[in-house]
């Protein structure tokens, strides 16, 4: 057995080295969510993250090359969870009309991304303007959601709910509206509700496809 594999399988207190490393990674992710999502990315140093997570800086660099990588990992986790949740919801509503599917998608997405103010701040405030690397990552996810929106619009055409056309710009407009409304919601929590945001996004999305 290779030495690295043997070390990974060695147990301490019933837990392997791999288990302990995975636990440290989760603590760092939770620390990133808490600090980036409350105090902000710019003020959350690696030392502060490590203190919050209860790990050493050496442990940090075993998992992430930089704060940017931690930020990207958190953003990826939120979007992956939302993407899987929306697709799972759609699997239960294959025959639903456009407005119903949009309402289901938006509600599922926003309940994942915006119900916790830390996720909303991280995704719609702290991700902006960090670096070219972070922006490339953010744009890749926006393109994925953009393609998702276009596919739903094309589906509506096949069902006779919309006329065929290029849905690229409408999809981009809807995504931009989601970003802006969630940001508005995150800084005005208590004065507006998530249901109000969902209603506006769905109204706009349906109009963008069917107009």
């Amino acid at each position: 057995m290779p030495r690295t594999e043997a070390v990974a399988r060695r147990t301490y207190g019933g837990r392997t080295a791999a288990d302990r490393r995975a636990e440290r990674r989760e603590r760092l992710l939770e620390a990133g969510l808490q600090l980036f999502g409350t105090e902000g990315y710019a003020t959350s140093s690696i030392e502060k993250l490590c203190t919050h997570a209860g790990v050493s800086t050496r442990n940090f660099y075993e998992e992430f090359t930089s704060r940017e990588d931690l930020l990207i990992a958190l953003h990826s986790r939120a979007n992956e969870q939302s993407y899987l949740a929306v697709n799972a919801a759609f699997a239960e509503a294959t025959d639903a009309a456009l407005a119903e599917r949009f309402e289901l998608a938006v509600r599922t997405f926003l309940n994942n991304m915006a119900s916790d103010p830390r996720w909303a701040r991280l995704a719609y405030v702290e991700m902006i303007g960090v670096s070219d690397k972070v922006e490339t990552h953010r744009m890749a996810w926006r393109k994925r959601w953009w393609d998702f929106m276009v596919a739903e619009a094309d589906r509506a055409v096949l069902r006779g709910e919309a006329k065929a056309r290029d849905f690229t710009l409408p999809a981009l407009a809807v995504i931009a509206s989601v970003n802006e409304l969630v940001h508005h919601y995150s800084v005005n929590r208590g004065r507006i509700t998530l249901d109000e945001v969902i209603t506006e996004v769905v109204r706009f999305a349906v109009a963008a496809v069917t107009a």
Side-chain angles (χ1 to χ4, degrees):
M1 180 185 298
R3 183 176 183 278
T4 53
E5 186 177 348
V7 170
R9 291 186 178 182
R10 191 179 301 159
T11 60
Y12 298 89
R15 294 183 303 155
T16 67
D19 289 338
R20 294 196 308 279
R21 181 169 178 174
E23 182 184 341
R24 288 196 297 267
R25 182 180 177 86
E26 283 303 311
R27 292 209 303 269
L28 282 165
L29 287 164
E30 177 56 34
L33 174 61
Q34 178 61 25
L35 294 179
F36 296 162
T38 57
E39 299 180 17
Y41 175 81
T43 62
S44 301
S45 66
I46 288 176
E47 290 75 16
K48 185 183 287 188
L49 289 161
C50 289
T51 298
H52 191 92
V55 303
S56 68
T57 54
R58 179 178 63 82
N59 293 149
F60 180 93
Y61 285 111
E62 287 174 347
E63 302 303 326
F64 306 101
T65 60
S66 64
R67 287 187 308 146
E68 287 181 0
D69 283 347
L70 176 56
L71 182 65
I72 287 171
L74 284 163
H75 187 261
S76 290
R77 171 173 285 191
N79 276 279
E80 287 286 359
Q81 290 175 345
S82 298
Y83 195 83
L84 290 173
V86 170
N87 277 282
F90 273 6
E92 301 296 322
T94 54
D95 295 325
L98 176 67
E100 183 180 344
R101 282 172 68 87
F102 272 168
E103 198 277 339
L104 184 62
V106 171
R107 184 171 297 280
T108 302
F109 176 81
L110 293 186
N111 278 331
N112 274 272
M113 295 292 286
S115 56
D116 184 331
R118 299 175 303 170
W119 282 120
R121 176 170 175 174
L122 185 145
Y124 299 105
V125 179
E126 300 304 322
M127 289 292 293
I128 310 300
V130 172
S131 68
D132 290 343
K133 180 180 180 179
V134 172
E135 190 64 9
T136 296
H137 167 83
R138 190 174 73 87
M139 289 297 101
W141 263 109
R142 188 165 79 164
K143 178 63 165 56
R144 193 169 176 183
W145 287 111
W146 184 355
D147 290 341
F148 184 91
M149 172 78 183
V150 170
E152 277 301 299
D154 290 339
R155 177 185 179 277
V157 171
L158 293 176
R159 288 171 56 91
E161 297 174 301
K163 293 181 179 180
R165 64 189 178 102
D166 184 352
F167 290 106
T168 300
L169 290 180
L172 183 58
V174 170
I175 291 169
S177 75
V178 171
N179 293 347
E180 194 61 31
L181 283 169
V182 173
H183 178 221
H184 182 71
Y185 167 73
S186 70
V187 298
N188 290 280
R189 191 177 293 266
R191 284 182 282 175
I192 59 174
T193 67
L194 196 56
D195 279 341
E196 289 177 294
V197 173
I198 291 168
T199 297
E200 289 305 319
V201 172
V202 172
R203 181 183 295 123
F204 183 66
V206 172
V209 171
T210 60

